[in-house]
Amino acid sequence: MIKYVGQVVREVLLGIGLWGLLGTIIILVVWGLSEGILYGFLLGVLLSVGYFIHMSITLETSVDMMEEKSAKNHALRSYLIRVAAGAVALVLAWWSGWFHMLAILAGFFTLKLGVYVRPFIHKAFCHFGICKDSEV
């Protein structure tokens, strides 16, 4: 099992949440509640949180498996489940007409932004004595 996976997951989720909060504030200032932009962005942020949690569970389970072939099959199955769930969510959002599709995409990019900002969040946690390791 990976040693600090819980800490990394918390840090990335915090990063996603911070970018989601920043994006929500910007959307409210610029567009307000019109055209489903805010709802689309929040749906994208929720999708990114779900994707990341599912990826972390998949990684942890695949690493714990003894055989390489079964770990690869499990990772592939999990990937296909994520892609199918994301596609269904996007089709349902488009079909409902309540969500702005580009805003969903922008919200989904908070996953990448959360991963990119994770080292800075980790350094901040270590500065305040919250981290469990010596990685800085």
Side-chain angles (χ1 to χ4, degrees), residues 43-44 46-48 50-51 54 78-94 101 104-105 108:
L43 178 63
L46 287 176
L47 282 173
S48 69
Y51 263 53
H54 192 260
S78 296
Y79 169 74
L80 293 174
I81 288 169
R82 276 192 306 275
V83 169
V88 167
L90 288 175
V91 167
L92 289 175
W94 174 73
M101 297 307 288
I104 295 173
L105 182 63
F108 193 69

PDB file of all heavy atoms in Angstrom, residues 43-44 46-48 50-51 54 78-94 101 104-105 108:
ATOM      1  N   LEU A  43     -21.255  21.217 -11.338  1.00  0.00           N
ATOM      2  CA  LEU A  43     -21.335  19.813 -11.743  1.00  0.00           C
ATOM      3  C   LEU A  43     -19.969  19.305 -12.188  1.00  0.00           C
ATOM      4  O   LEU A  43     -19.565  18.194 -11.846  1.00  0.00           O
ATOM      5  CB  LEU A  43     -22.356  19.627 -12.868  1.00  0.00           C
ATOM      6  CG  LEU A  43     -22.488  18.205 -13.417  1.00  0.00           C
ATOM      7  CD1 LEU A  43     -22.975  17.252 -12.334  1.00  0.00           C
ATOM      8  CD2 LEU A  43     -23.412  18.184 -14.620  1.00  0.00           C
ATOM      9  N   GLY A  44     -19.226  20.122 -12.920  1.00  0.00           N
ATOM     10  CA  GLY A  44     -17.881  19.736 -13.338  1.00  0.00           C
ATOM     11  C   GLY A  44     -16.953  19.535 -12.148  1.00  0.00           C
ATOM     12  O   GLY A  44     -16.140  18.605 -12.140  1.00  0.00           O
ATOM     13  N   LEU A  46     -17.888  18.655  -9.114  1.00  0.00           N
ATOM     14  CA  LEU A  46     -18.311  17.403  -8.470  1.00  0.00           C
ATOM     15  C   LEU A  46     -17.827  16.185  -9.257  1.00  0.00           C
ATOM     16  O   LEU A  46     -17.410  15.184  -8.663  1.00  0.00           O
ATOM     17  CB  LEU A  46     -19.829  17.370  -8.317  1.00  0.00           C
ATOM     18  CG  LEU A  46     -20.403  18.280  -7.245  1.00  0.00           C
ATOM     19  CD1 LEU A  46     -21.932  18.232  -7.266  1.00  0.00           C
ATOM     20  CD2 LEU A  46     -19.883  17.899  -5.875  1.00  0.00           C
ATOM     21  N   LEU A  47     -17.875  16.278 -10.579  1.00  0.00           N
ATOM     22  CA  LEU A  47     -17.348  15.186 -11.394  1.00  0.00           C
ATOM     23  C   LEU A  47     -15.854  14.995 -11.154  1.00  0.00           C
ATOM     24  O   LEU A  47     -15.369  13.860 -11.061  1.00  0.00           O
ATOM     25  CB  LEU A  47     -17.606  15.451 -12.876  1.00  0.00           C
ATOM     26  CG  LEU A  47     -19.011  15.199 -13.403  1.00  0.00           C
ATOM     27  CD1 LEU A  47     -19.135  15.679 -14.841  1.00  0.00           C
ATOM     28  CD2 LEU A  47     -19.364  13.731 -13.297  1.00  0.00           C
ATOM     29  N   SER A  48     -15.110  16.088 -11.052  1.00  0.00           N
ATOM     30  CA  SER A  48     -13.669  15.964 -10.831  1.00  0.00           C
ATOM     31  C   SER A  48     -13.370  15.360  -9.459  1.00  0.00           C
ATOM     32  O   SER A  48     -12.446  14.553  -9.328  1.00  0.00           O
ATOM     33  CB  SER A  48     -12.973  17.311 -11.005  1.00  0.00           C
ATOM     34  OG  SER A  48     -13.315  18.204  -9.979  1.00  0.00           O
ATOM     35  N   GLY A  50     -15.340  13.247  -7.840  1.00  0.00           N
ATOM     36  CA  GLY A  50     -15.676  11.828  -7.978  1.00  0.00           C
ATOM     37  C   GLY A  50     -14.619  11.053  -8.747  1.00  0.00           C
ATOM     38  O   GLY A  50     -14.237   9.946  -8.358  1.00  0.00           O
ATOM     39  N   TYR A  51     -14.143  11.642  -9.841  1.00  0.00           N
ATOM     40  CA  TYR A  51     -13.093  11.000 -10.630  1.00  0.00           C
ATOM     41  C   TYR A  51     -11.845  10.787  -9.787  1.00  0.00           C
ATOM     42  O   TYR A  51     -11.248   9.712  -9.817  1.00  0.00           O
ATOM     43  CB  TYR A  51     -12.737  11.871 -11.837  1.00  0.00           C
ATOM     44  CG  TYR A  51     -13.415  11.485 -13.123  1.00  0.00           C
ATOM     45  CD1 TYR A  51     -14.788  11.339 -13.205  1.00  0.00           C
ATOM     46  CD2 TYR A  51     -12.668  11.291 -14.269  1.00  0.00           C
ATOM     47  CE1 TYR A  51     -15.403  11.015 -14.384  1.00  0.00           C
ATOM     48  CE2 TYR A  51     -13.274  10.962 -15.464  1.00  0.00           C
ATOM     49  CZ  TYR A  51     -14.649  10.819 -15.524  1.00  0.00           C
ATOM     50  OH  TYR A  51     -15.255  10.490 -16.689  1.00  0.00           O
ATOM     51  N   HIS A  54     -12.310   8.078  -7.134  1.00  0.00           N
ATOM     52  CA  HIS A  54     -12.342   6.763  -7.777  1.00  0.00           C
ATOM     53  C   HIS A  54     -10.947   6.350  -8.257  1.00  0.00           C
ATOM     54  O   HIS A  54     -10.555   5.192  -8.121  1.00  0.00           O
ATOM     55  CB  HIS A  54     -13.340   6.777  -8.931  1.00  0.00           C
ATOM     56  CG  HIS A  54     -13.635   5.408  -9.464  1.00  0.00           C
ATOM     57  ND1 HIS A  54     -13.038   4.924 -10.599  1.00  0.00           N
ATOM     58  CD2 HIS A  54     -14.448   4.431  -9.004  1.00  0.00           C
ATOM     59  CE1 HIS A  54     -13.488   3.694 -10.827  1.00  0.00           C
ATOM     60  NE2 HIS A  54     -14.343   3.371  -9.867  1.00  0.00           N
ATOM     61  N   SER A  78     -11.775  -0.116 -14.095  1.00  0.00           N
ATOM     62  CA  SER A  78     -12.094   1.111 -13.362  1.00  0.00           C
ATOM     63  C   SER A  78     -12.062   2.325 -14.282  1.00  0.00           C
ATOM     64  O   SER A  78     -12.897   3.220 -14.182  1.00  0.00           O
ATOM     65  CB  SER A  78     -11.121   1.309 -12.209  1.00  0.00           C
ATOM     66  OG  SER A  78     -11.269   0.278 -11.273  1.00  0.00           O
ATOM     67  N   TYR A  79     -11.093   2.356 -15.192  1.00  0.00           N
ATOM     68  CA  TYR A  79     -11.014   3.449 -16.169  1.00  0.00           C
ATOM     69  C   TYR A  79     -12.265   3.480 -17.041  1.00  0.00           C
ATOM     70  O   TYR A  79     -12.849   4.545 -17.277  1.00  0.00           O
ATOM     71  CB  TYR A  79      -9.760   3.284 -17.024  1.00  0.00           C
ATOM     72  CG  TYR A  79      -9.732   4.192 -18.216  1.00  0.00           C
ATOM     73  CD1 TYR A  79      -9.483   5.553 -18.059  1.00  0.00           C
ATOM     74  CD2 TYR A  79      -9.972   3.704 -19.492  1.00  0.00           C
ATOM     75  CE1 TYR A  79      -9.477   6.397 -19.158  1.00  0.00           C
ATOM     76  CE2 TYR A  79      -9.962   4.537 -20.586  1.00  0.00           C
ATOM     77  CZ  TYR A  79      -9.717   5.886 -20.419  1.00  0.00           C
ATOM     78  OH  TYR A  79      -9.713   6.717 -21.503  1.00  0.00           O
ATOM     79  N   LEU A  80     -12.674   2.312 -17.523  1.00  0.00           N
ATOM     80  CA  LEU A  80     -13.873   2.259 -18.363  1.00  0.00           C
ATOM     81  C   LEU A  80     -15.123   2.685 -17.595  1.00  0.00           C
ATOM     82  O   LEU A  80     -16.008   3.342 -18.154  1.00  0.00           O
ATOM     83  CB  LEU A  80     -14.040   0.852 -18.949  1.00  0.00           C
ATOM     84  CG  LEU A  80     -12.965   0.433 -19.952  1.00  0.00           C
ATOM     85  CD1 LEU A  80     -13.159  -1.029 -20.357  1.00  0.00           C
ATOM     86  CD2 LEU A  80     -12.977   1.351 -21.164  1.00  0.00           C
ATOM     87  N   ILE A  81     -15.193   2.334 -16.328  1.00  0.00           N
ATOM     88  CA  ILE A  81     -16.326   2.758 -15.497  1.00  0.00           C
ATOM     89  C   ILE A  81     -16.331   4.280 -15.363  1.00  0.00           C
ATOM     90  O   ILE A  81     -17.380   4.925 -15.484  1.00  0.00           O
ATOM     91  CB  ILE A  81     -16.273   2.078 -14.111  1.00  0.00           C
ATOM     92  CG1 ILE A  81     -16.626   0.603 -14.240  1.00  0.00           C
ATOM     93  CG2 ILE A  81     -17.195   2.768 -13.115  1.00  0.00           C
ATOM     94  CD1 ILE A  81     -16.359  -0.208 -12.983  1.00  0.00           C
ATOM     95  N   ARG A  82     -15.161   4.885 -15.129  1.00  0.00           N
ATOM     96  CA  ARG A  82     -15.078   6.342 -15.011  1.00  0.00           C
ATOM     97  C   ARG A  82     -15.489   7.027 -16.305  1.00  0.00           C
ATOM     98  O   ARG A  82     -16.236   8.002 -16.294  1.00  0.00           O
ATOM     99  CB  ARG A  82     -13.663   6.783 -14.631  1.00  0.00           C
ATOM    100  CG  ARG A  82     -13.371   6.752 -13.185  1.00  0.00           C
ATOM    101  CD  ARG A  82     -12.084   7.472 -12.847  1.00  0.00           C
ATOM    102  NE  ARG A  82     -10.928   7.028 -13.593  1.00  0.00           N
ATOM    103  CZ  ARG A  82     -10.175   5.990 -13.262  1.00  0.00           C
ATOM    104  NH1 ARG A  82     -10.469   5.284 -12.197  1.00  0.00           N
ATOM    105  NH2 ARG A  82      -9.120   5.672 -13.997  1.00  0.00           N
ATOM    106  N   VAL A  83     -14.991   6.528 -17.422  1.00  0.00           N
ATOM    107  CA  VAL A  83     -15.323   7.144 -18.713  1.00  0.00           C
ATOM    108  C   VAL A  83     -16.812   7.010 -18.997  1.00  0.00           C
ATOM    109  O   VAL A  83     -17.462   7.978 -19.426  1.00  0.00           O
ATOM    110  CB  VAL A  83     -14.476   6.508 -19.842  1.00  0.00           C
ATOM    111  CG1 VAL A  83     -14.986   6.920 -21.201  1.00  0.00           C
ATOM    112  CG2 VAL A  83     -13.020   6.911 -19.680  1.00  0.00           C
ATOM    113  N   ALA A  84     -17.377   5.832 -18.750  1.00  0.00           N
ATOM    114  CA  ALA A  84     -18.805   5.625 -18.996  1.00  0.00           C
ATOM    115  C   ALA A  84     -19.655   6.505 -18.078  1.00  0.00           C
ATOM    116  O   ALA A  84     -20.630   7.115 -18.527  1.00  0.00           O
ATOM    117  CB  ALA A  84     -19.166   4.153 -18.800  1.00  0.00           C
ATOM    118  N   ALA A  85     -19.283   6.598 -16.808  1.00  0.00           N
ATOM    119  CA  ALA A  85     -20.050   7.435 -15.872  1.00  0.00           C
ATOM    120  C   ALA A  85     -19.957   8.906 -16.266  1.00  0.00           C
ATOM    121  O   ALA A  85     -20.959   9.631 -16.215  1.00  0.00           O
ATOM    122  CB  ALA A  85     -19.533   7.239 -14.448  1.00  0.00           C
ATOM    123  N   GLY A  86     -18.773   9.344 -16.681  1.00  0.00           N
ATOM    124  CA  GLY A  86     -18.624  10.729 -17.134  1.00  0.00           C
ATOM    125  C   GLY A  86     -19.426  11.006 -18.389  1.00  0.00           C
ATOM    126  O   GLY A  86     -20.066  12.055 -18.513  1.00  0.00           O
ATOM    127  N   ALA A  87     -19.427  10.065 -19.324  1.00  0.00           N
ATOM    128  CA  ALA A  87     -20.198  10.243 -20.563  1.00  0.00           C
ATOM    129  C   ALA A  87     -21.688  10.296 -20.270  1.00  0.00           C
ATOM    130  O   ALA A  87     -22.413  11.137 -20.828  1.00  0.00           O
ATOM    131  CB  ALA A  87     -19.876   9.114 -21.539  1.00  0.00           C
ATOM    132  N   VAL A  88     -22.161   9.415 -19.396  1.00  0.00           N
ATOM    133  CA  VAL A  88     -23.590   9.422 -19.030  1.00  0.00           C
ATOM    134  C   VAL A  88     -23.952  10.739 -18.349  1.00  0.00           C
ATOM    135  O   VAL A  88     -24.992  11.337 -18.649  1.00  0.00           O
ATOM    136  CB  VAL A  88     -23.919   8.206 -18.127  1.00  0.00           C
ATOM    137  CG1 VAL A  88     -25.275   8.356 -17.473  1.00  0.00           C
ATOM    138  CG2 VAL A  88     -23.847   6.923 -18.936  1.00  0.00           C
ATOM    139  N   ALA A  89     -23.088  11.208 -17.448  1.00  0.00           N
ATOM    140  CA  ALA A  89     -23.358  12.478 -16.764  1.00  0.00           C
ATOM    141  C   ALA A  89     -23.408  13.637 -17.764  1.00  0.00           C
ATOM    142  O   ALA A  89     -24.289  14.503 -17.669  1.00  0.00           O
ATOM    143  CB  ALA A  89     -22.299  12.743 -15.698  1.00  0.00           C
ATOM    144  N   LEU A  90     -22.495  13.655 -18.729  1.00  0.00           N
ATOM    145  CA  LEU A  90     -22.499  14.731 -19.724  1.00  0.00           C
ATOM    146  C   LEU A  90     -23.719  14.666 -20.633  1.00  0.00           C
ATOM    147  O   LEU A  90     -24.322  15.697 -20.945  1.00  0.00           O
ATOM    148  CB  LEU A  90     -21.216  14.687 -20.557  1.00  0.00           C
ATOM    149  CG  LEU A  90     -19.951  15.122 -19.847  1.00  0.00           C
ATOM    150  CD1 LEU A  90     -18.741  14.915 -20.747  1.00  0.00           C
ATOM    151  CD2 LEU A  90     -20.045  16.567 -19.409  1.00  0.00           C
ATOM    152  N   VAL A  91     -24.101  13.474 -21.046  1.00  0.00           N
ATOM    153  CA  VAL A  91     -25.290  13.329 -21.895  1.00  0.00           C
ATOM    154  C   VAL A  91     -26.538  13.752 -21.134  1.00  0.00           C
ATOM    155  O   VAL A  91     -27.394  14.467 -21.671  1.00  0.00           O
ATOM    156  CB  VAL A  91     -25.405  11.886 -22.432  1.00  0.00           C
ATOM    157  CG1 VAL A  91     -26.766  11.630 -23.043  1.00  0.00           C
ATOM    158  CG2 VAL A  91     -24.310  11.606 -23.444  1.00  0.00           C
ATOM    159  N   LEU A  92     -26.659  13.333 -19.886  1.00  0.00           N
ATOM    160  CA  LEU A  92     -27.824  13.728 -19.090  1.00  0.00           C
ATOM    161  C   LEU A  92     -27.847  15.234 -18.842  1.00  0.00           C
ATOM    162  O   LEU A  92     -28.920  15.857 -18.857  1.00  0.00           O
ATOM    163  CB  LEU A  92     -27.852  12.969 -17.768  1.00  0.00           C
ATOM    164  CG  LEU A  92     -28.176  11.483 -17.856  1.00  0.00           C
ATOM    165  CD1 LEU A  92     -28.052  10.826 -16.481  1.00  0.00           C
ATOM    166  CD2 LEU A  92     -29.559  11.256 -18.442  1.00  0.00           C
ATOM    167  N   ALA A  93     -26.685  15.827 -18.613  1.00  0.00           N
ATOM    168  CA  ALA A  93     -26.620  17.278 -18.405  1.00  0.00           C
ATOM    169  C   ALA A  93     -27.011  18.017 -19.679  1.00  0.00           C
ATOM    170  O   ALA A  93     -27.736  19.006 -19.631  1.00  0.00           O
ATOM    171  CB  ALA A  93     -25.210  17.683 -17.973  1.00  0.00           C
ATOM    172  N   TRP A  94     -26.537  17.547 -20.814  1.00  0.00           N
ATOM    173  CA  TRP A  94     -26.892  18.168 -22.092  1.00  0.00           C
ATOM    174  C   TRP A  94     -28.373  18.011 -22.371  1.00  0.00           C
ATOM    175  O   TRP A  94     -29.045  18.942 -22.803  1.00  0.00           O
ATOM    176  CB  TRP A  94     -26.066  17.541 -23.212  1.00  0.00           C
ATOM    177  CG  TRP A  94     -26.458  18.010 -24.565  1.00  0.00           C
ATOM    178  CD1 TRP A  94     -26.210  19.228 -25.118  1.00  0.00           C
ATOM    179  CD2 TRP A  94     -27.192  17.272 -25.527  1.00  0.00           C
ATOM    180  NE1 TRP A  94     -26.745  19.285 -26.373  1.00  0.00           N
ATOM    181  CE2 TRP A  94     -27.353  18.095 -26.661  1.00  0.00           C
ATOM    182  CE3 TRP A  94     -27.732  15.987 -25.553  1.00  0.00           C
ATOM    183  CZ2 TRP A  94     -28.026  17.679 -27.786  1.00  0.00           C
ATOM    184  CZ3 TRP A  94     -28.390  15.572 -26.675  1.00  0.00           C
ATOM    185  CH2 TRP A  94     -28.537  16.409 -27.774  1.00  0.00           C
ATOM    186  N   MET A 101     -22.516  23.459 -21.065  1.00  0.00           N
ATOM    187  CA  MET A 101     -21.567  22.371 -21.296  1.00  0.00           C
ATOM    188  C   MET A 101     -20.110  22.821 -21.146  1.00  0.00           C
ATOM    189  O   MET A 101     -19.281  22.088 -20.607  1.00  0.00           O
ATOM    190  CB  MET A 101     -21.800  21.739 -22.674  1.00  0.00           C
ATOM    191  CG  MET A 101     -23.180  21.096 -22.810  1.00  0.00           C
ATOM    192  SD  MET A 101     -23.583  19.920 -21.506  1.00  0.00           S
ATOM    193  CE  MET A 101     -22.529  18.577 -21.919  1.00  0.00           C
ATOM    194  N   ILE A 104     -19.217  22.950 -17.545  1.00  0.00           N
ATOM    195  CA  ILE A 104     -18.916  21.625 -16.987  1.00  0.00           C
ATOM    196  C   ILE A 104     -17.464  21.273 -17.270  1.00  0.00           C
ATOM    197  O   ILE A 104     -16.743  20.789 -16.392  1.00  0.00           O
ATOM    198  CB  ILE A 104     -19.862  20.552 -17.570  1.00  0.00           C
ATOM    199  CG1 ILE A 104     -21.308  20.811 -17.142  1.00  0.00           C
ATOM    200  CG2 ILE A 104     -19.427  19.150 -17.143  1.00  0.00           C
ATOM    201  CD1 ILE A 104     -22.320  19.898 -17.799  1.00  0.00           C
ATOM    202  N   LEU A 105     -17.022  21.529 -18.486  1.00  0.00           N
ATOM    203  CA  LEU A 105     -15.622  21.263 -18.841  1.00  0.00           C
ATOM    204  C   LEU A 105     -14.666  22.102 -17.983  1.00  0.00           C
ATOM    205  O   LEU A 105     -13.652  21.599 -17.492  1.00  0.00           O
ATOM    206  CB  LEU A 105     -15.399  21.546 -20.322  1.00  0.00           C
ATOM    207  CG  LEU A 105     -14.010  21.268 -20.867  1.00  0.00           C
ATOM    208  CD1 LEU A 105     -13.679  19.784 -20.752  1.00  0.00           C
ATOM    209  CD2 LEU A 105     -13.918  21.727 -22.306  1.00  0.00           C
ATOM    210  N   PHE A 108     -14.514  20.631 -14.624  1.00  0.00           N
ATOM    211  CA  PHE A 108     -13.776  19.382 -14.620  1.00  0.00           C
ATOM    212  C   PHE A 108     -12.269  19.620 -14.614  1.00  0.00           C
ATOM    213  O   PHE A 108     -11.509  18.808 -14.086  1.00  0.00           O
ATOM    214  CB  PHE A 108     -14.188  18.534 -15.824  1.00  0.00           C
ATOM    215  CG  PHE A 108     -13.724  17.114 -15.732  1.00  0.00           C
ATOM    216  CD1 PHE A 108     -14.269  16.254 -14.792  1.00  0.00           C
ATOM    217  CD2 PHE A 108     -12.738  16.636 -16.557  1.00  0.00           C
ATOM    218  CE1 PHE A 108     -13.834  14.951 -14.680  1.00  0.00           C
ATOM    219  CE2 PHE A 108     -12.293  15.330 -16.460  1.00  0.00           C
ATOM    220  CZ  PHE A 108     -12.847  14.491 -15.523  1.00  0.00           C
TER     221      PHE A 108
END
